[in-house]
Structures are given as C-alpha cells and as structure tokens.
Amino acid sequence: AVGMFLRLLSDVRWQAANPKWRRTTCCRRSTSSTEEPHPISLPAQAHVVICGGGIMGTSVAYHLSKMGWKDIVLLEQGRLAAGTTRFCAGIVSTARHASIELKMADYSNKLYQQLEQETGVNTGYTKTGSISLAQTQDRLISLKRIASSLNVTGIPCEIITPKQVAQLHPLINIHDLVGAMYVPEDALVSSASVSLALATAASRNGVQIHERTSVSHVSIQKGRVTGVETDRGQIQCQYFVNCAGQWAYELGHSGEEAVNIPLHACEHFYLLTHPLKEPLASNLPTIVDPDGRIYIRNWQGGILSGGFEKNPKPLFTEGRNQLEIQNLQEDWDHFEPLLSALLRRMPDLEALQIMQLVNCPESFTPDMRCIMGESPTVRGYFVLAGMNSAGISYGGGAGKYLAEWMVNGYPSENVWSLDLKRFGTLQSSRTFLRHRVMEVMPLMCDLKVPRWDFQTGRQLRTSPLYDRLDAQGARWMEKHGFERVKYFVPPGKDLLDLDQSKTFYKPDWFDIVGSEVKCCKEAVCVIDMSSFTKFEISSTGDQALESLQYLFSNDLDVPVGHVVHTGMLNEKGGYENDCSIARLSKRSFFMISPTDQQVHCWAWLKNRLPDDSNLTMEDVTWKYTALNLIGPRAVDVLSELSYAPMTPQHFPSLFCKEMSVGYANGIRVMSITHTGEPGFMLYIPIEYALHVYNEVMNMGQKYGIRNAGYYALRSLRIEKFFAFWGQDLDAFTTPMECGREFQVKLEKGMQFVGQEALLEQKQKGVYKRFTMFILEDHDTDTDLWPWWGEPIFRNGRYVGKTTSSAYSYSLERHVCLGFVHHFDEKTGEELVVTTDFINQGEYEISIGGQRFQAKAKLYPFSSLFTHRRRKDEVELSGYQRE
C-alpha cells in the first residue's frame, strides 16, 4: 500500500540521517509493540515533555531546541509521523483568509524550503504553485480579497483568466470558470519526511525522542504541571505540550484536572492513481476547486485528489483509541460526488487506473481555526492541535509561535483567534463537537461571506429574554456560545429572504438596521447585552483595590459609585482586556468585559492575583441580565419607572448605583452605553429580567421605544471612533497607539503592569496609530462593502490594514477603523507615526483589489460639533465590546 511505501521510505531516510538511531531501530520492525525491548530508558526528569511525534510535536521540539531550551523529551505512542501526518496530502498553501494563518503558512513554506539543506533529509519539497478556481463571481471576489492580502504581505499572487489557467495546467476543463487566483510560491512536500527532518534537527540539538511510549496521565499539583506518567515510567517536568492530534481531546481529560481541547476527528478521503500515460510534470501547479469541493495535485506522475464533502463522517466520538492510524475503510459511494467533480474538472482522466482510495482521520475544531496556547486552568500545560486539514501548511509557523509563547511568555504575533482560551467548557461536549464538525468540514469549501453564522450547537447560552425577543422577530448570532440579537425583522417582512441573504455587497438588513440606529439617536432603544463577562472582586481589607491598581492602567481609587474605563495590560503595554470597573463599595468592584473574555480574563487575573483567602473573585456573568437603554428618551423612561431623577445633575456620566425599577430592586444602573450615545446600562438580577424588560417596554411606548440589536450598536460605535477588544484592540496594541492616553494614569502613585512600556512610548513615540477612515467615492448600493482586513494605502504605499468597519447612517458613508504604520521607503523598517504623518497623506482603502479614496481622521466627527466637556467626563473611551 502507498501509505506503507511512504512510511518505509521515510524510515530509511530517518535512519540514514541518524546513525546513532540505527542501533535502536533495528529491533522495532515487529508488528506487535508489546514484544519490543526498549533500548534507551526514559529520563527521570525533563524541562519539557512533548506528547505526539507528528508534524506539530516535531515542529515544537525543533523550535524550542533552536531557541536554546535543553532537557526536551518528545514521546510518540506509535512511530514518528504515523498519525494524520503520514496521510497528509502534503500541500503547502498560503492562500488563507485570516492574516495569522497566512503568516504561519508563509513561514512554514520558507522553513521547509531550506530544511533538506539543514538536515540532509529529503523532504520532497517541490515549488509547484497553486491555482484556486472560481466558478462564480462571488467566489472570485473572495479570491480577490485573499489576493490583496497576500500581495501586501509580500507573497506573489495574481488573479488570472480561465485561458491563463489552461496555459498553466493543460488538463483542466475551464469552460465553467470566471477566473482564478495563482500563487506561484506554493509547494508540495512529503509531510512524513518533513516531520522526520524536524525530528532529526531537534535530535541533533539534544532533544530526546522516544517512540512506542504512550502518555497515560499528566500529573498536576496546585494548578501546575509536575510530570507525566507513561507506560514506561514517570518523567517529572515543568512543561507539558499536548500535540496528540486526534487524541488530544482524550489526553486533555487524562490529568487530575481536565484540560478541554475542543476538537473531533472526521474521515477525510483522497484518491491516488497510477502514473498517466504521459506522466504529469512534477512542477505542475496544484489545483484547488472550492466550488467543486476538491483539490488536485501531482503524485509520482499520477494524481492525488481529495476534498471536503457535504456529508462528512465523524469518527471516534466515543473515544476509540488506536496507536497508529491505519487506512480506514474505503467508501466509494461516499466519495462519488468528489470523484464526479474531479472528472468534470479533468475529463481526460476517464481511462485512468486508480491505485487506492485513502481514508484517514483529520481533526476539526468548532470554528475552523487551530488550537494553540496555555491551558487556562493548568500552568505549564500547552496545546497545539486541531489543524482542520491544514497541518502541513501551518506546522512550521504554529510550532514557532508556540515555542516563542513558552520561552518568552508570548508569541511574536497576535494569535488570539487561535488561542485555546477563546473556548469555554461548553464547547467540549462530545455531542456538540460531533454535530459542529459535521458542519465545519463542508464549510472548508463554502463561500465565506461577511457575517455568516454557525447553525449547529446553537441556543446553548441564552438570556432569560430569549423567547420574548425571538417572538418579536429577533435574528440571532452567537458569540462564545451566547445567543445575541443582530437586528429585529419588522412584521410583514419576508423572513426567509433575510435569513438566506449572503452577499459581499449591500445586505438586505440595511434599512432595518438604519431604522434601529435612527431610533437610538432620536428616541430610545433596548439592546439585550447579557453576554458580557461580569466578575465581582472583593476583599476584607484593601487587598482588592491594591491588586486591581497593579493589574489595571487607570486609577481605580475613585469614590464609591464611579465607573472607570480601563485596560488590563501586559508587560509590553498591550491590551489583554478592555473593560469597565464600577466601585460598588470601598472593598468591592464590579468588572464588565467583552463576551469572549470569560475564560481568558479569568485565567489572567487568577494567575496574577495574590493567593489570599481575604480576596475573592466570582464570575457572576450568569447572575445578571444586561439591558442597554440607548437614546435621548432613556432618561425619561428610567426616571418614570424608578421615581428618581436621572438627569446628568443627579446621575452624572460614568456613574453607578443600585436602584429599584418597577417592582424589582437591587438593579445596578450605570450611565454608560458603550456607543457614545446617551443612556444607561441596567444589570438586573436574573429572576427580575422579564419583569424589568416588560416594564421598560410598556413605559417606553409613549417615547417610541423599540428593540435593537448588535448591528445597530456596531454602526453607532464605529462612527464614534470607538475601538473593540478582539478586533481593533489586542495584546499588541497599547493605549498610546489608539488615542486612549486619558485612560491611563501613569502617575497614580503606584506601579502597574505595562507602565514602563507606556512611559517609553510616551517618550519615543508610537509605531502605529489607530485611525478612522471615511470612504469618499464609494457607492453603498453598487460597490463591494468593506468588512475588515482591507489594505490601507497612503500616497500609493501600503501602510496597514483595517480592523473593523460599518456604514454610518448619519454620515451616509462607510467608516473603516484601522492602524496606520510608517515604513521607511528604502529599508522597510518601521518609523514613528506622528499626527502630521497621518494628516498629510492621501488615503485609499482596497476592497477586493479595488481602491477607494478615504479621508483619515484622528477624532470622530461628533466631537467637533459638541461643546468641549472635560476630557475625563466624555465617554470617548473608544470602548466597546462585542
């Protein structure tokens, strides 16, 4: 069988490259692992133990040893590269939507290119290029978006015509194509050989590699990794890395404390053929046909072709374990639609001899992004798994980022979208994972239009008002498992139409959201924002205040009842979280953070708060329903319901107090709306939620009240130049770079995390600047809409990317937010970005390759018109959470 052939070939290369291994491998060829003597005993202790000898484990070992770490042990339960890596199709492709994935794939490609020279192991690296085909205009737009991203990253790429496709690959049928994207630097490798080459280099750098050794248990004490138990004895260690691929989920649950790694295996099929009569040239480009759901590459003069069918087959839901992946059952009926697509795309193959249908497991995750990072519950427990069939493309880059994370405490790029902490425990239900991966696998090929939502695993976390809002026409999206309203469909609208509408252009909900925004500005709207993460931190003495003063950049020693917007910064001054904190009493604080901060923020604080029984932190997210009352009449509604004056004289901005609303008491009312519009947030004990909502809606009728959703909120916050954590703000963005110096108290009389980095920036200047762009010559009705990730050009030169965008109904223009950098024209090095540099440029934003003129601003429009209030009173915190 071909799998065995590849395997043997790799073994031969591995032994040739490692003479010292010859002694230890000669006795390993028997089929039964139980009879084999183990020539080298395991060390009693190590600094790092890596579990898994596939592309991920060997890449982590390679990069850790390169970075100078010693005492690294890599354990593999079967043989190296015998899992999914062995069956991987070996396509290294940089054509990725997400910029972090694009960077990982680009690094991998460059690493594999020089690996053979470095190690002497033949990796089969061949630069073939790849062609992604478009059968529809929408697919072509999607490819153009990727192409503009690749080009500004420095990866050669062009959009080509069907005729050019035929010139590059004569066997391809082009009659149904509208265009394609050609990436000439993409490559093919033998993935098992790459893994062995990485292992060879790691071994030379002192990494101990032990095959046929399975980890049964990870020992944990006081929330830290202390060692691992294997079938060959114990190893004490400070760090454990779970690179166990499809077994990562089970391994995560084998410690004293479970580490949830939400991934699930599916069967993945590809076809191998005998060489063609005229064998295919080895440098023939790889074909990706997403509309046909297939990929096609040259394989030893014949063809390797697989794909992502619409009805995938999940595997091992009940956790059936096997040491090495054997080729699973052939299933020709299941593969038939993909075979038909292949024959349509390459009609000359009818007479081809098929050698084998390979069926191997691939691991998929709930959001189609891989999983990396440190466990939120166990220090020193790192994970790298769940590659969604792109393991060989990401292997090099992912291993590098994880090694940096372990050695330096953080990777060199923003990897939040891949961080294990983006998931909560709710994503680790086996039933949820089984259903979600059946949706995820077909999505690999489906068109990614703006604002699509997963359909499986829904209605998991809901507000008590869910049914009430649903009955009034709410359309839902999900964040961190929580259902949130996008907008409300008015009675009489065609609901089905709206749910089906997926487009890169003006969406069908445009007018609906417009009317919600208008109501927020002229009357009053209610938005259910219960998904916010809510913590209470209190102490018997001053411990809470002292700890929070150290962990947050703003001054929290404010009078009781005041609300402070503040960043939770890292040592580099970057935003780990962006939140509001209300001082409830001298010794207790109420902290509100973005929805997806629930796991990350808890872990960050838990690891940094002193271990003091007098200091308590409680997650009260589920205890409160949050209603946002936005608009000039919010004050009337609330004062009538509470019989208390709510005017700014009696209830100033950024103020918090417990009040009665209707019959319900103990409601925390805050004078902030996260949009820059007037209004109040109500934090309502969950049992009163329905009562308070009903009272607010009844009382508000005479003021024109209506429900609104997060799309209206997005439009409001973006036109006010408010930044989001997770999209605009991240661990690599500081308050100085996004005009939030007023949220930092550098002189608050005590040190805080990130202070030194901010003082240095204040002195030297910043290297990027958060800027607002208003599109000038953009036609909302007929032009492509901006989304995020669009390249920004200043005087014709690339200077950065947008981070979020929305249509502003009051400016009647699209507004994009993004960061502007200043690259030296000759050397490309980053220079300080000054206000003059921003103001003196002519800007364009590229949407799908088409450039639109844009006006850059460092302040929102509204602040030019409103009278200048004191800076610390203005809610220009740029503070918003989705």
Side-chain angles (χ1 to χ4, degrees), residues 339-355:
L339 182 59
S340 300
L342 169 65
L343 295 175
R344 269 198 308 278
R345 190 56 56 219
M346 295 178 78
D348 298 349
L349 295 188
E350 292 284 3
L352 200 64
Q353 267 193 307
I354 289 168
M355 184 190 286

Side-chain angles (χ1 to χ4, degrees), residues 461-464 477-485 527-534 592-598 619-622 624-627 681 683 710 713 881-882:
R461 300 172 75 195
T462 58
S463 151
M477 59 182 178
E478 164 255 340
K479 181 80 168 238
H480 204 66
F482 216 114
E483 295 293 330
R484 311 194 310 177
V485 182
I527 304 182
D528 182 343
M529 297 176 72
S530 304
S531 66
F532 274 172
T533 297
K534 302 173 272 289
I592 297 120
S593 308
T595 304
D596 50 4
Q597 274 279 358
Q598 193 166 13
D619 185 345
V620 294
T621 300
W622 62 275
Y624 292 95
T625 296
L627 288 183
M681 283 293 301
Y683 289 93
Y710 272 80
L713 193 84
R881 308 199 210 81
E882 283 230 334

Side-chain angles (χ1 to χ4, degrees), residues 235-383:
I235 307 177
Q236 289 182 324
C237 61
Q238 284 88 51
Y239 293 93
F240 176 73
V241 189
N242 182 341
C243 296
Q246 58 156 333
W247 295 280
Y249 178 96
E250 277 84 17
L251 182 59
H253 282 260
S254 70
E256 276 119 47
E257 196 162 337
V259 173
N260 290 306
I261 303 164
L263 53 81
H264 197 297
C266 274
E267 295 185 16
H268 178 59
F269 295 88
Y270 62 79
L271 182 76
L272 291 167
T273 74
H274 287 285
L276 277 68
K277 281 200 187 93
E278 260 184 61
L280 290 179
S282 62
N283 61 351
L284 206 62
T286 296
I287 298 291
V288 181
D289 182 3
D291 297 306
R293 318 190 76 83
I294 55 167
Y295 55 82
I296 309 163
R297 59 156 282 195
N298 163 58
W299 187 75
Q300 298 184 359
I303 272 170
L304 182 160
S305 175
F308 300 96
E309 63 275 23
K310 285 183 174 176
N311 54 334
K313 296 165 73 173
L315 269 176
F316 312 136
T317 303
E318 59 295 325
R320 189 170 80 231
N321 211 329
Q322 33 162 181
L323 286 187
E324 291 173 12
I325 297 173
Q326 307 307 327
N327 189 9
L328 301 162
Q329 288 292 303
E330 288 190 352
D331 187 340
W332 283 102
D333 290 344
H334 191 77
F335 190 71
E336 197 278 326
L338 300 179
L339 182 59
S340 300
L342 169 65
L343 295 175
R344 269 198 308 278
R345 190 56 56 219
M346 295 178 78
D348 298 349
L349 295 188
E350 292 284 3
L352 200 64
Q353 267 193 307
I354 289 168
M355 184 190 286
Q356 188 183 10
L357 181 62
V358 178
N359 172 5
C360 65
E362 279 280 4
S363 300
F364 294 87
T365 63
D367 62 358
M368 294 188 290
R369 302 241 183 281
C370 75
I371 296 174
M372 68 161 66
E374 189 173 16
S375 155
T377 50
V378 183
R379 303 294 305 273
Y381 192 121
F382 283 81
V383 178

Side-chain angles (χ1 to χ4, degrees), residues 532-836:
F532 274 172
T533 297
K534 302 173 272 289
F535 295 165
E536 274 176 23
I537 299 157
S538 53
S539 59
T540 52
D542 291 336
Q543 300 95 328
L545 177 65
E546 284 168 10
S547 304
L548 296 182
Q549 284 284 59
Y550 173 66
L551 292 171
F552 291 87
S553 57
N554 210 337
D555 189 358
L556 295 174
D557 196 0
V558 291
V560 171
H562 281 240
V563 181
V564 176
H565 285 321
T566 178
M568 181 174 89
L569 309 181
N570 53 36
E571 282 72 15
K572 304 190 301 297
Y575 280 98
E576 289 296 332
N577 183 8
D578 176 41
C579 53
S580 348
I581 298 181
R583 190 167 193 180
L584 299 178
S585 72
K586 281 274 186 217
R587 293 176 181 145
S588 72
F589 296 84
F590 184 49
M591 175 180 168
I592 297 120
S593 308
T595 304
D596 50 4
Q597 274 279 358
Q598 193 166 13
V599 177
H600 173 69
C601 179
W602 180 269
W604 180 270
L605 290 173
K606 208 71 182 150
N607 291 337
R608 285 162 181 79
L609 286 171
D611 192 7
D612 182 342
S613 57
N614 296 315
L615 178 67
T616 57
M617 175 168 74
E618 187 188 358
D619 185 345
V620 294
T621 300
W622 62 275
K623 284 189 177 180
Y624 292 95
T625 296
L627 288 183
N628 194 352
L629 258 65
I630 303 178
R633 307 314 297 263
V635 57
D636 302 307
V637 174
L638 259 192
S639 48
E640 285 200 45
L641 279 174
S642 59
Y643 289 98
M646 302 294 292
T647 55
Q649 292 76 27
H650 298 94
F651 207 112
S653 178
L654 296 181
F655 196 64
C656 167
K657 106 174 158 196
E658 287 210 347
M659 296 174 59
S660 298
V661 177
Y663 297 154
N665 54 20
I667 288 156
R668 292 175 183 169
V669 178
M670 296 188 196
S671 45
I672 78 185
T673 63
H674 312 302
T675 58
E677 301 296 331
F680 302 91
M681 283 293 301
L682 275 56
Y683 289 93
I684 308 159
I686 207 151
E687 63 266 39
Y688 299 144
L690 210 51
H691 169 75
V692 172
Y693 174 77
N694 290 339
E695 291 288 299
V696 165
M697 292 308 278
N698 292 337
M699 183 61 73
Q701 272 188 326
K702 60 184 173 192
Y703 299 109
I705 198 164
R706 66 180 287 172
N707 291 300
Y710 272 80
Y711 282 11
L713 193 84
R714 179 187 283 122
S715 172
L716 291 167
R717 73 97 185 169
I718 286 180
E719 72 178 23
K720 286 287 198 300
F721 199 13
F722 281 17
F724 257 39
W725 188 87
Q727 241 185 332
D728 307 311
L729 307 179
D730 57 44
F732 288 78
T733 307
T734 74
M736 304 298 178
E737 293 162 349
C738 56
R740 293 200 185 174
E741 298 87 333
F742 63 95
Q743 277 185 27
V744 176
K745 294 289 182 284
L746 287 168
E747 315 300 331
K748 66 176 173 181
M750 66 175 293
Q751 271 195 315
F752 62 85
V753 179
Q755 189 174 21
E756 282 176 25
L758 298 187
L759 285 166
E760 188 181 338
Q761 274 196 332
K762 192 175 182 183
Q763 195 185 340
K764 293 183 177 173
V766 296
Y767 290 89
K768 62 177 179 180
R769 193 71 191 267
F770 195 49
T771 310
M772 176 177 185
F773 296 94
I774 292 96
L775 295 188
E776 301 273 284
D777 55 348
H778 182 272
D779 186 323
T780 308
D781 293 324
T782 59
D783 286 326
L784 284 175
W785 274 34
W787 187 7
W788 63 77
E790 286 88 13
I792 303 164
F793 293 89
R794 178 187 179 275
N795 300 347
R797 293 177 60 82
Y798 171 69
V799 289
K801 283 187 178 179
T802 63
T803 49
S804 55
S805 66
Y807 181 79
S808 162
Y809 292 88
S810 41
L811 300 174
E812 296 185 345
R813 289 266 185 285
H814 256 102
V815 177
C816 300
L817 309 182
F819 285 93
V820 171
H821 301 251
H822 184 181
F823 302 109
D824 185 285
E825 296 203 12
K826 292 192 178 71
T827 62
E829 73 169 307
E830 292 207 43
L831 304 173
V832 169
V833 177
T834 60
T835 308
D836 285 348

